Amino acid sequence: MLKARDVSKACRRIRAVTLCLVLTLLWMPLTLTAQAHEVSLHGQVVDPTGALIPGATLTLTRGTSVFTTASSTNGQYRFHDVPPGTYQLTADATGFAQLIITDLKLAASRQLNLSLKIATDQQQLTVGAQAEGLSVSSEENATSTVIKGKDLDALSDDPDVLQSELGALAGPSAGPDGGQVYIDGFTDGKLPPKSSIQEIRINQNPFSAEYDRIGYGRVEIITKPGASKFAGRVGFGYLNSALDTSNSLVSVQPSYQYYSLGGNVTGPLGKKASFFFAGQYWERQNQSIVSAVNPANTTEKISEAFPAPYSTFHAAPRLDIQLGKHTLAFQDIIFRTIRTGKGVGELALPEQASTGYDLANIFMVRDSMLINSHLANELAFRWWRDSSHRTPAFYTPSITVLGAFTTGGSYQGQATDLTHNLQLQDNATLTAGRHTMRFGGLMRAYNDEYTSHASINGSYQFQSITDYLAGKPSLYSAAVIRNPVAHVLSTDAALFFQDEWRWKPNLNIGYGLRVEGQNRIHDHIDWAPRFSLTWAPGNSGKSAPKTVVHLGAGIFYTRFQYSYQLQTILNNGVLQRTYTVQNPDFYDPVTPIPASVLESAGSSTLTVNTLAPHFHAAQNVQTAVGVDQTIGKLTTLTLSYLYTQGTHQYFTNNVTAPVFDPATYTVSGPAPTSYNYQYQSGGIFKEHQLIFTTRERFRKLSLQTTYTFSHANSDTQGVTSFPSVAQNPRFDYGRSLFGITHKFQAIGTWSAPYGIAFSSMLFAQSGTPYNVTLGNDLTQNNQFNARPTYGTCGAADVVNTAFGCLDTNPVGKGERIVPFNLGTGPANMVMDIYAVKSIGIGPRRESASGAKPAVAPGHAPRSYALSVQVGATNIFNIVNRAAPNGILSSPLFGQSQALAAGPYTLSSPGNRTVYLQTTFVF
């Protein structure tokens, strides 16, 4: 055993702060193992081929004492601090037969590996929720959710809808960046088809140092490994507008349809290997909804559905091999997407359309190794190649009337993007007495080569319909491209150590440290300590506790994305030179202005993108306290309070803009000779969240609900947002776009009579804040985000609105400027429901003894099965509108031009849709 003086001597010799800290953290738990007075049971859960089984539920029972746990992503399980005695051990996992070990004698800590057999009934569904009762384990907090088995039926098979549902189920993550998605342990990635998903974990161990971003809102997706017995499924899905209701934004809607074909197959390859292959094809005859002013007749409004079909193909072969103590997994995923009509919708007219093509290839290899009974290691590597192309339909200049319409050719232009993403990570799990330690690190590299012809066609901007009709643009901008190709190599890396210390049977302490950094920014090293405490007052550890208290705190960082680093290279004034002309005396809606005219014009202002010299990674400090309480055996209640404070938040600022005085609404100083759009990290936000969760599980019915109250203020809305006062970003401190006050969600499943399974999801929220602006550049920061003032009702230039009398020309009047995000959009609610019926086909399956099993209600114990699913989204046909147009000068001010985003927006253009799917299982 290490001694304190040994650690101290090593620190003095090496004089490395990081290494000393890691050595000390490793030494502390090892010296405390002598305090253990009880035993532990640990091991791996595998299938007949030796492939790891994550998410298995394990229950250890002796009399009235019940202990539960679940296997981790590498198949590891562990029971902490179990009193010596004789137990019964039960292991359950989706798709596998239940394993029961009786008369299991535990006199000392021991390792026991468990091998589960494939279930004889292909249609058997194991409820994939957490173990019954509460736990003081950090990974089993009552606010976390594990979705698998029949609970997955409550989620949509449509990957676009599924992604929105998962984001909503994860709950409101603090800050502007949203939750983080892990796919098989890797960050980012593309969402796989639901048929290849084994389980989904939400909000588990939110203060673990293993993860880089805030844990509340985190989604972890684990895909299926190969199996030791041949099996598979093939399915067909179909949706037609004849069964749907029309989109509320259009009076006449053309017909459309959607269909999908896919499935998977799995089986053995000898005694030590197995395979899994999944494939899916989606074809959507989609539409983009336009709601804008008609440029040909500005007294009319355009409301039309523009065709925007797209198709997606996905193929994912996987190979699992058992080699001694090593379990190797090789997986290759191919995505191909073709989409037309991109860029059209809301105020963007059909002329803005472009065609996009994307081809992604993701190769992953993973080596899981059980080194000994106390130490396991997992080494994983991912290579992701993504190639995308964009081609606009027209190359004429882009024309925008703020808040009214955008027509002409796409300002985005033609582009090709080739990205290579490499990620290497190594995580180890060490058990020692009452301690379970995780430590490791990762390295990520993004190599992006971007070819862009954006802005070469030029863009005219008008402040009003009147100026448009008079042919008097307020701004013209265009790019002169000398070299269209830009290249960036962005890397980041991290080391972490996390210890889950079961100090007492009713008290678990988690502490850890994460050190991370990235290149290309001034801030290279960031320290992220984490701490959590879980306490079950009055509980002896011999039975599941009734009350559990959670405390947690930690520092988290959000990496600066390589795409913005690329922009500083692309638009650096050398490769490309973007010019802006204020109040140009020319206007040609057909032919772009020649580059020579822009470069020689005395009124042209060069615009560049730069990175602030002291740029810092965005930092989020979060604290949380919560209480879990069981009521009877079926109900669990959780109340949590979260406070998150963000510093070094990202925004873009025109640092060369003239000085603006908000007290008098006047600008002083000379006009800038260039515009420097600088990425900065000086933003802040503060957010309070109160989360109330209920979980009820009956024999045939399960229901989980979550209500969240949130209050958030910030002075930035994300990296692309500009402050209205360049010299004082704090002037925009106010309600945040992500601070939606009320949110409610519910997910339920019901095993109904006659073998029919129902599942449903409901989402509701109060309105989203939105900003009210004048639609002109009175602050002269070239952003047209100046806000109006409160004027005198009836005075000149003052308009009467729902927010009061607002002055559209407040220059020099000394009036009070309206608050940031003054408006609140409409509330939204949507409910989806699915019904599934499985029918057995072929001979009945026989048990090992040769006897035919009895037919269980709701199951089809035959060789094959056919399931039929009917789903309906937005069954109440509620029109969920987005926040209204907030540009005061727009003829559409106060009107919504789109439907609400998130789970309230369907993948089809209809308002309520009916979806049909059939699946054959063999």
Side-chain angles (χ1 to χ4, degrees), residues 10-31:
C11 290
R12 288 195 303 269
R13 288 179 178 176
I14 301 174
R15 295 186 178 181
V17 175
T18 304
L19 183 57
C20 290
L21 183 56
V22 172
L23 287 173
T24 304
L25 289 172
L26 287 171
W27 166 75
M28 286 175 57
L30 292 175
T31 59

Side-chain angles (χ1 to χ4, degrees), residues 53 59 79 185 190 296 307 322 434 437 461 467 566 580 637 678 789 816 825 879 912:
I53 302 177
T59 306
F79 290 96
K190 292 181 177 290
Q322 184 73 36
R434 298 183 180 186
M437 289 162 280
Q461 191 159 294
D467 289 345
L566 181 70
T580 299
L637 307 178
Q678 188 176 88
T789 60
R816 182 168 63 93
V879 178
R912 178 181 61 210

Side-chain angles (χ1 to χ4, degrees), residues 62-109:
R62 185 185 68 167
T64 59
S65 299
V66 179
F67 305 89
T68 60
T69 189
S71 58
S72 62
T73 54
N74 56 7
Q76 297 284 332
Y77 77 92
R78 183 176 179 84
F79 290 96
H80 299 270
D81 304 331
V82 177
T86 302
Y87 292 81
Q88 174 177 292
L89 176 63
T90 305
D92 294 280
T94 303
F96 297 88
Q98 185 183 65
L99 173 66
I100 300 177
I101 300 177
T102 59
D103 297 325
L104 177 62
K105 295 179 173 58
L106 296 179
S109 297

Side-chain angles (χ1 to χ4, degrees), residues 270-283:
K271 296 182 179 181
K272 297 292 184 178
S274 60
F275 75 94
F276 182 89
F277 177 83
Q280 195 88 14
Y281 178 79
W282 298 272
E283 180 76 40

Side-chain angles (χ1 to χ4, degrees), residues 246-257:
S246 299
N247 191 295
S248 61
L249 298 176
V250 295
S251 55
V252 178
Q253 186 169 3
S255 61
Y256 58 87
Q257 64 180 2

Side-chain angles (χ1 to χ4, degrees), residues 70-224:
S71 58
S72 62
T73 54
N74 56 7
Q76 297 284 332
Y77 77 92
R78 183 176 179 84
F79 290 96
H80 299 270
D81 304 331
V82 177
T86 302
Y87 292 81
Q88 174 177 292
L89 176 63
T90 305
D92 294 280
T94 303
F96 297 88
Q98 185 183 65
L99 173 66
I100 300 177
I101 300 177
T102 59
D103 297 325
L104 177 62
K105 295 179 173 58
L106 296 179
S109 297
R110 60 175 293 189
Q111 176 188 354
L112 179 62
N113 294 333
L114 306 176
S115 179
L116 305 187
K117 296 181 179 180
I118 303 297
T120 58
D121 178 8
Q122 286 282 336
Q123 293 303 301
Q124 181 179 354
L125 295 174
T126 303
V127 175
Q130 294 172 281
E132 299 293 340
L134 299 178
S135 170
V136 294
S137 171
S138 298
E139 294 187 353
E140 297 176 14
N141 59 87
T143 57
S144 66
T145 303
V146 178
I147 303 174
K148 61 181 180 180
K150 70 177 181 181
D151 289 343
L152 278 173
D153 293 335
L155 303 178
S156 174
D157 288 277
D158 187 320
D160 293 340
V161 178
L162 177 60
Q163 187 152 5
S164 294
E165 290 175 342
L166 291 178
L169 283 173
S173 177
D177 301 302
Q180 191 174 28
V181 177
Y182 283 78
I183 300 176
D184 287 329
F186 292 102
T187 55
D188 306 316
K190 292 181 177 290
L191 199 66
K194 197 179 77 172
S195 63
S196 65
I197 296 177
Q198 177 165 295
E199 70 176 56
I200 300 170
R201 302 174 183 177
I202 298 175
N203 295 338
Q204 285 204 320
N205 204 355
F207 290 101
S208 171
E210 184 175 352
Y211 305 97
D212 50 356
R213 284 169 47 184
I214 291 176
Y216 288 95
R218 184 175 64 239
V219 176
E220 298 175 77
I221 297 174
I222 301 171
T223 59
K224 296 176 180 177

Side-chain angles (χ1 to χ4, degrees), residues 106-441:
L106 296 179
S109 297
R110 60 175 293 189
Q111 176 188 354
L112 179 62
N113 294 333
L114 306 176
S115 179
L116 305 187
K117 296 181 179 180
I118 303 297
T120 58
D121 178 8
Q122 286 282 336
Q123 293 303 301
Q124 181 179 354
L125 295 174
T126 303
V127 175
Q130 294 172 281
E132 299 293 340
L134 299 178
S135 170
V136 294
S137 171
S138 298
E139 294 187 353
E140 297 176 14
N141 59 87
T143 57
S144 66
T145 303
V146 178
I147 303 174
K148 61 181 180 180
K150 70 177 181 181
D151 289 343
L152 278 173
D153 293 335
L155 303 178
S156 174
D157 288 277
D158 187 320
D160 293 340
V161 178
L162 177 60
Q163 187 152 5
S164 294
E165 290 175 342
L166 291 178
L169 283 173
S173 177
D177 301 302
Q180 191 174 28
V181 177
Y182 283 78
I183 300 176
D184 287 329
F186 292 102
T187 55
D188 306 316
K190 292 181 177 290
L191 199 66
K194 197 179 77 172
S195 63
S196 65
I197 296 177
Q198 177 165 295
E199 70 176 56
I200 300 170
R201 302 174 183 177
I202 298 175
N203 295 338
Q204 285 204 320
N205 204 355
F207 290 101
S208 171
E210 184 175 352
Y211 305 97
D212 50 356
R213 284 169 47 184
I214 291 176
Y216 288 95
R218 184 175 64 239
V219 176
E220 298 175 77
I221 297 174
I222 301 171
T223 59
K224 296 176 180 177
S228 61
K229 190 173 183 179
F230 284 106
R233 63 176 58 210
V234 60
F236 176 76
Y238 183 70
L239 180 152
N240 192 288
S241 57
L243 301 176
D244 303 341
T245 59
S246 299
N247 191 295
S248 61
L249 298 176
V250 295
S251 55
V252 178
Q253 186 169 3
S255 61
Y256 58 87
Q257 64 180 2
Y258 155 90
Y259 64 87
S260 66
L261 177 65
N264 59 59
V265 61
T266 184
L269 293 173
K271 296 182 179 181
K272 297 292 184 178
S274 60
F275 75 94
F276 182 89
F277 177 83
Q280 195 88 14
Y281 178 79
W282 298 272
E283 180 76 40
R284 292 175 171 85
Q285 302 298 325
N286 232 359
Q287 298 167 2
S288 297
I289 307 301
V290 176
S291 179
V293 173
N294 186 356
N297 185 353
T298 56
T299 62
E300 296 179 350
K301 181 179 178 181
I302 295 178
S303 296
E304 66 173 291
F306 180 74
Y310 73 98
S311 63
T312 301
F313 171 76
H314 166 271
R318 172 170 173 162
L319 176 66
D320 295 273
I321 304 175
Q322 184 73 36
L323 296 175
K325 294 184 177 182
H326 296 267
T327 300
L328 301 176
F330 302 89
Q331 189 173 11
D332 191 31
I333 305 175
I334 300 173
F335 285 93
R336 190 219 63 188
T337 300
I338 302 175
R339 187 189 298 260
T340 61
K342 292 183 63 177
V344 178
E346 300 183 38
L347 300 179
L349 301 184
E351 295 80 12
Q352 290 284 296
S354 63
T355 298
Y357 175 86
D358 183 80
L359 179 63
N361 186 27
I362 306 173
F363 176 74
M364 294 177 286
V365 58
R366 185 184 311 274
D367 177 17
S368 301
M369 179 183 181
L370 184 63
I371 299 174
N372 55 46
S373 61
H374 295 280
L375 181 61
N377 189 76
E378 184 177 79
L379 178 66
F381 171 76
R382 181 183 72 178
W383 170 66
W384 178 1
R385 182 186 186 274
D386 199 326
S387 176
S388 62
H389 307 271
R390 181 182 64 236
T391 305
F394 298 94
Y395 291 89
T396 57
S398 177
I399 301 171
T400 297
V401 177
L402 291 174
F405 63 82
T406 299
T407 186
S410 171
Y411 192 62
Q412 298 296 321
Q414 186 174 349
T416 299
D417 194 9
L418 178 60
T419 305
H420 294 270
N421 169 222
L422 304 176
Q423 184 168 336
L424 176 67
Q425 58 190 41
D426 188 32
N427 297 331
T429 303
L430 174 65
T431 59
R434 298 183 180 186
H435 299 264
T436 300
M437 289 162 280
R438 292 272 291 172
F439 51 92

